[in-house]
Amino acid sequence: MGLLSELKLAVPWGHIAVKVWGSQKNPPVLCLHGWLDNANSFDRLIPLLPQDLCYVAMDFGGHGLSSHYNPGFPYYHQNFVSEVRRVAAAFKWTPFSLLGHSFGGSVGGLFACMFPEMVHKLILLDSGPFFPDSKEMENIMTYRRRSIDHVLQVEASQKSRRAFSQEELLQGLLNNNSHLSRDCGELLLQRGATKVAEGLVLNRDRRLSWPENSCDFMSKELFVHSARSLQANVLMIKALQGYYDVRRVNDADKEPMLFMVDTLKSILKERFQFVEVPGNHYVHMNKPQILAGVISSFLQDLPRTTSSRL
């Protein structure tokens, strides 16, 4: 399936950039990338999926080719949920399906709870539908303070965006993403950087820094209450060597992920599928063929067991 078009959807602060595969007459699947990634995350997976659907991969605000938020306005989790609503409105979708990787899965999950009637199917790639407490409540005020201070520091800085060589940018990206292969890092930089006279500059907004500053951590009670509103069929795919927590310092603690799986299984019953696959956090880019079969079966309503391991 070839890329059909690149579009810019107008929003009050500029535009949201999207990539479209397949005919817009087909049932839509909106693809949501991870933190600091971009729509190129799905370039290797989408061509392996059913071709009778329309796939739209968006760049979140401040990422990829989408506009940055206006000065003075930080990036909050609900802002990204709102962007999903804006894209759905622009295409006049209802219902539609969501496929989200990592942070994109949490955005899609929250959207599916806020607008349950709009989401037909929800696919979570090495992601949970929300960020449960994860022992973070004592840190919430610290995160919020740090986020405000960081925005002020960026605004006070008069430095222009620094230019790098292709190799410098790539090495920096790989150093910060140990699960990312070199060729996949190059793919993300194709959309994540712009060529200038001095070299390459990153496209992403410098106000985007630590994901926990823009995550809405919620209590287990609120998680359970929110999950009860889901009307979508949900497929959660967990990479066996992937991440378990938004903060790497907590990644050894698998309890939050297990709690999410058990909760969703209990509430959604036959509408929930949980599958473990070999691979790391970027398995959808590094080895998309591992995911293609299970995702295709889910999108095409082919029967599967509610819990399995590939």
Side-chain angles (χ1 to χ4, degrees), residues 45-117:
L45 176 62
I46 288 174
L48 304 179
L49 300 182
Q51 298 191 19
D52 56 351
L53 300 173
C54 176
Y55 301 90
V56 176
M58 63 180 284
D59 291 327
F60 284 128
H63 295 72
L65 302 180
S66 286
S67 299
H68 295 185
Y69 283 9
N70 291 331
F73 290 90
Y75 293 85
Y76 291 130
H77 197 235
Q78 188 165 319
N79 296 148
F80 298 116
V81 178
S82 176
E83 289 181 23
V84 173
R85 183 68 182 86
R86 290 178 183 274
V87 170
F91 283 103
K92 297 181 173 61
W93 291 337
T94 185
F96 63 101
S97 296
L98 284 167
L99 186 159
H101 171 243
S102 193
F103 181 81
S106 73
V107 172
L110 193 53
F111 179 90
C113 289
M114 288 184 177
F115 302 92
E117 75 286 356

Side-chain angles (χ1 to χ4, degrees), residues 81 98 106-117 119 122 129-130 218 222-232 264:
V81 178
L98 284 167
S106 73
V107 172
L110 193 53
F111 179 90
C113 289
M114 288 184 177
F115 302 92
E117 75 286 356
V119 182
L122 173 65
F130 318 104
M218 60 173 63
L222 182 55
F223 174 89
V224 173
H225 178 77
S226 301
R228 289 195 180 111
S229 68
L230 285 168
Q231 295 180 19
L264 292 171

Side-chain angles (χ1 to χ4, degrees), residues 26-278:
N26 294 335
V29 180
L30 180 61
C31 304
L32 309 176
H33 63 77
W35 191 253
L36 302 185
D37 294 339
N38 56 61
N40 279 12
S41 293
F42 301 100
D43 278 16
R44 294 185 168 188
L45 176 62
I46 288 174
L48 304 179
L49 300 182
Q51 298 191 19
D52 56 351
L53 300 173
C54 176
Y55 301 90
V56 176
M58 63 180 284
D59 291 327
F60 284 128
H63 295 72
L65 302 180
S66 286
S67 299
H68 295 185
Y69 283 9
N70 291 331
F73 290 90
Y75 293 85
Y76 291 130
H77 197 235
Q78 188 165 319
N79 296 148
F80 298 116
V81 178
S82 176
E83 289 181 23
V84 173
R85 183 68 182 86
R86 290 178 183 274
V87 170
F91 283 103
K92 297 181 173 61
W93 291 337
T94 185
F96 63 101
S97 296
L98 284 167
L99 186 159
H101 171 243
S102 193
F103 181 81
S106 73
V107 172
L110 193 53
F111 179 90
C113 289
M114 288 184 177
F115 302 92
E117 75 286 356
M118 294 187 66
V119 182
H120 179 45
K121 295 181 180 180
L122 173 65
I123 303 170
L124 306 168
L125 302 182
D126 210 43
S127 173
F130 318 104
F131 294 111
D133 180 348
S134 186
K135 303 182 178 65
E136 295 287 5
M137 284 302 167
E138 64 187 51
N139 299 318
I140 294 297
M141 292 300 111
T142 299
Y143 296 156
R144 292 179 179 176
R145 170 177 174 156
R146 185 173 66 180
S147 179
I148 291 171
D149 285 343
H150 179 68
V151 169
L152 294 177
Q153 289 168 6
V154 171
E155 291 174 351
S157 173
Q158 299 302 312
K159 296 179 181 178
S160 58
R161 290 186 296 172
R162 181 184 168 191
F164 300 85
S165 69
Q166 169 77 18
E167 187 60 27
E168 283 177 320
L169 271 189
L170 181 58
Q171 283 304 316
L173 179 62
L174 297 180
N175 290 341
N176 290 324
N177 296 274
S178 61
H179 290 206
L180 199 61
S181 66
R182 183 179 180 88
D183 56 342
C184 291
E186 292 173 345
L187 181 59
L188 287 177
L189 284 180
Q190 288 176 13
R191 196 174 184 88
T194 297
K195 187 174 180 58
V196 296
E198 299 80 13
L200 292 172
V201 295
L202 286 170
N203 292 340
R204 69 170 179 255
D205 196 324
R206 288 188 297 168
R207 288 172 289 178
L208 294 163
S209 183
W210 302 281
E212 62 263 30
N213 289 345
S214 296
C215 296
D216 283 342
F217 292 101
M218 60 173 63
S219 67
K220 290 183 176 180
E221 292 78 12
L222 182 55
F223 174 89
V224 173
H225 178 77
S226 301
R228 289 195 180 111
S229 68
L230 285 168
Q231 295 180 19
N233 289 358
V234 178
L235 169 63
M236 180 183 288
I237 300 177
K238 186 74 192 75
L240 288 171
Q241 291 79 46
Y243 298 139
Y244 286 88
D245 195 277
V246 67
R247 293 213 309 144
R248 302 297 111 78
V249 294
N250 294 333
D251 195 50
D253 182 10
K254 298 182 181 180
E255 191 276 333
M257 180 62 68
L258 295 174
F259 174 77
M260 279 192 285
V261 171
D262 289 343
T263 299
L264 292 171
K265 190 180 300 183
S266 173
I267 292 173
L268 301 180
K269 297 181 171 55
E270 69 278 359
R271 290 192 290 121
F272 178 68
Q273 297 177 26
F274 177 71
V275 178
E276 292 181 299
V277 299

